[in-house]
Amino acid sequence: MKAYLVLSLALALAFAAVTYCDASSPFLPPVHVVMTNNLAGVDVTIHCKSKNDDLGEHLVHSSQSWDFTFRPSYWNSTDFYCSFQWQGSVHWFDVYTEKRDFYTCTECKWSIREKQICRFNDKSGSYDDCYDYNSS
């Protein structure tokens, strides 16, 4: 009887985990995303979202940073995208895509630049992992 209860509880927990697909994992290390405004003398408004979270708008002055921390999901489905607005222009980029970044960074540092956004490369020690902003 005791084995039946343990098995039932284990199955119930497994079912709950599978049905709640976007659950963050307490077993995975937290991810820290840092975005630094490297637009000379220009403020940028950053607005980040995921499927489940809206982190709001944040005004970031030149040479300043804004950051957030989260835990990735069990199911390789965590994505955070951000819009960047300055001087009448709007850009956006996926600052964390679990499929791209899970094995690359738990401290994901980004440099916001006029034409591209660049991630810090731990191997080279510089912001040389650059991407164009996403198309509208």
Side-chain angles (χ1 to χ4, degrees):
M1 182 70 173
K2 186 175 179 181
Y4 174 76
L5 288 174
V6 170
L7 180 61
S8 296
L9 180 60
L11 288 174
L13 288 173
F15 178 75
V18 168
T19 57
Y20 190 65
C21 293
D22 290 329
S24 63
S25 171
F27 305 107
L28 295 175
V31 173
H32 185 213
V33 176
V34 180
M35 292 167 282
T36 301
N37 175 359
N38 285 308
L39 301 169
V42 177
D43 292 343
V44 63
T45 300
I46 301 173
H47 188 179
C48 297
K49 297 180 178 183
S50 73
K51 186 171 124 180
N52 298 318
D53 297 301
D54 184 337
L55 304 180
E57 289 187 355
H58 303 273
L59 181 65
V60 181
H61 302 297
S62 183
S63 301
Q64 299 295 310
S65 299
W66 180 73
D67 66 301
F68 63 94
T69 302
F70 65 94
R71 286 193 184 271
S73 73
Y74 286 109
W75 310 109
N76 201 25
S77 63
T78 303
D79 297 320
F80 275 95
Y81 59 93
C82 301
S83 67
F84 306 94
Q85 296 180 314
W86 68 85
Q87 295 182 330
S89 64
V90 179
H91 303 282
W92 65 278
F93 186 74
D94 303 319
V95 295
Y96 186 86
T97 301
E98 196 163 335
K99 290 178 183 169
R100 177 192 69 203
D101 299 319
F102 184 77
Y103 294 106
T104 305
C105 61
T106 54
E107 182 79 17
C108 303
K109 297 184 247 182
W110 293 97
S111 172
I112 301 165
R113 300 175 182 181
E114 186 177 348
K115 301 289 183 192
Q116 293 183 308
I117 186 165
C118 299
R119 184 174 53 200
F120 187 79
N121 181 335
D122 288 328
K123 292 179 183 172
S124 69
S126 64
Y127 288 89
D128 59 10
D129 192 7
C130 296
Y131 299 86
D132 292 333
Y133 291 104
N134 294 345
S135 301
S136 299

